[in-house]
Amino acid sequence: GKCKIMKTTKAVALRHVPQTAESMPGKRVCIVGSGNWGSAIAKIIGHNVKASNRFEPLVNMWVFEETVNGRKLTEIINNDHENVKYLPGHKLPKNVIAVPDVTEAVAGADILVFVIPHQFIGKLCDQMKPHIKPRAIGISLIKGIDEGPAGLTLISDIIRTKLEIDVSVLMGANIANEVADEKFCETTIGATNEQNGHLFKELMQTPNFRITVVSESDTVELCGALKNIVAVGAGFCDGLGFGDNTKAAVIRLGLMEMVAFSRLFCKNPVSSATFLESCGVADLITTCYGGRNRRVAEAFVTARKSIAELEAEMLNGQKLQGPQTSAEVYKILQKRSMVDKFPLFVSVYEICFEGKDVKEFIKCLQNHPQHM
């Protein structure tokens, strides 16, 4: 009750602010993506834009059109205000409009929120490019990296380059269903442009979704991608029945590899403090105990099926990021002749893709160089 009263008074107070160019109402928001996490964030954004005069109250959400029980998914969302496939049981605000055509969805948008599986981003940006408003800004909630011609490419770099806009990132210990249930959690926005970072914070923060803005955008984004590899390792441990002490070792050694990898590949200096934000240690812990990467990796040990088969069986159309990211990282380490420096990352890759026996996983922990 108390929070609601505070929110309304804030909204009322804002309406009496004298109009400056910056406070003119009407920044139009488009959410690019509508899976589990996209729908959870749409729920927050839909409510927040109504409470602030900085944003237009209608929000377009691009939905990859598919048929669910004989009906189009966009039709279900727009009539029943629920994404029955990816976030069942949650009502989406009525001002969130599902649009099946991405070019139509982004037309006229000032703020683009990207939340799709990382495999699809390049192709989608190419489709969007002619329709992007000059001076639009973006934020990526996408956890993954790409292996470009020059080595590592961050997803935000792909968006930045293809759309020629400023891009921030949001990463944190945010399991989508818990965020949708409004259980308290924290998250981190990495923004090299501080003003944009704070605008995104205003768009997405709620009493139960608490945001810290930091300037080390690349580190924040790498944390979001790399922790999924570690979570696969944690899932192997669970499948092999190794217990919590072993999993704690996976988390610690995995974090060390995350820090070492970030220091190698970030153009800007990397501070340890960023790893203590929600995007670092918190996201790593929650993903190693919950999350789909851990779950599928555990089944990989017990069910003796391939990762691709398990993804199709267990994830209801969602994509798995951990194994794919381990493959990107492996290629990059190979190019730099550093495969032997990252035993945990490499072991996850070899087990997922090269037929190495999962029982061997413990060896990468036993022989790990404890200081990197």
Side-chain angles (χ1 to χ4, degrees), residues 192-206:
T192 45
N193 179 318
E194 200 181 338
Q195 197 180 358
N196 290 351
H198 286 287
L199 184 66
F200 290 125
K201 178 173 176 168
E202 189 181 328
L203 177 65
M204 290 187 264
Q205 179 160 273
T206 73

Side-chain angles (χ1 to χ4, degrees), residues 76-107:
I76 297 171
I77 292 171
N78 290 332
N79 292 326
D80 308 347
H81 308 291
E82 183 183 344
N83 187 334
V84 291
K85 178 155 186 189
Y86 296 109
L87 193 67
H90 286 278
K91 284 292 177 205
L92 296 176
K94 291 183 175 148
N95 57 326
V96 174
I97 313 297
V99 182
D101 178 345
V102 75
T103 57
E104 194 188 315
V106 301

Side-chain angles (χ1 to χ4, degrees), residues 104-115:
E104 194 188 315
V106 301
D110 302 287
I111 295 175
L112 299 161
V113 180
F114 293 90
V115 52

Side-chain angles (χ1 to χ4, degrees), residues 4-20:
K4 281 220 174 74
I5 294 165
M6 278 166 63
K7 257 168 98 178
T8 28
T9 44
K10 182 185 167 205
V12 172
L14 273 171
R15 287 198 193 105
H16 300 296
V17 173
Q19 294 292 331
T20 63

Side-chain angles (χ1 to χ4, degrees), residues 95-289:
N95 57 326
V96 174
I97 313 297
V99 182
D101 178 345
V102 75
T103 57
E104 194 188 315
V106 301
D110 302 287
I111 295 175
L112 299 161
V113 180
F114 293 90
V115 52
I116 56 168
H118 82 274
Q119 298 89 314
F120 308 134
I121 192 68
K123 191 167 151 257
L124 212 60
C125 284
D126 293 338
Q127 288 173 265
M128 289 162 62
K129 176 67 176 112
H131 308 271
I132 295 297
K133 200 171 171 177
R135 289 197 300 281
I137 58 173
I139 186 163
S140 169
L141 280 61
I142 300 169
K143 293 180 174 175
I145 46 176
D146 204 17
E147 188 250 339
L152 178 119
T153 311
L154 296 169
I155 302 303
S156 66
D157 284 335
I158 297 173
I159 301 170
R160 230 172 256 125
T161 310
K162 285 186 178 282
L163 301 185
E164 299 172 48
I165 59 173
D166 180 74
V167 184
S168 304
V169 298
L170 179 145
M171 306 278 150
N174 310 138
I175 288 174
N177 291 38
E178 294 183 17
V179 173
D181 285 333
E182 295 177 40
K183 292 175 174 163
F184 176 81
C185 70
E186 303 174 304
T187 198
T188 313
I189 286 178
T192 45
N193 179 318
E194 200 181 338
Q195 197 180 358
N196 290 351
H198 286 287
L199 184 66
F200 290 125
K201 178 173 176 168
E202 189 181 328
L203 177 65
M204 290 187 264
Q205 179 160 273
T206 73
N208 281 330
F209 190 66
R210 191 155 174 256
I211 298 175
T212 308
V213 181
V214 301
S215 60
E216 260 180 55
S217 181
D218 289 1
T219 313
V220 170
E221 186 169 1
L222 265 177
C223 281
L226 297 173
K227 55 98 201 187
N228 282 329
I229 306 178
V230 186
V232 173
F236 292 159
C237 278
D238 289 342
L240 294 161
F242 283 155
D244 284 338
N245 296 342
T246 312
K247 198 193 275 195
V250 169
I251 292 172
R252 188 186 82 82
L253 296 167
L255 182 61
M256 276 176 36
E257 291 194 14
M258 284 167 63
V259 175
F261 191 90
S262 302
R263 295 220 157 114
L264 270 179
F265 291 96
C266 282
K267 294 179 279 293
N268 306 315
V270 170
S271 64
S272 305
T274 307
F275 292 89
L276 295 177
E277 296 292 347
S278 182
C279 61
V281 67
D283 195 9
L284 182 59
I285 291 167
T286 195
T287 313
C288 287
Y289 280 92

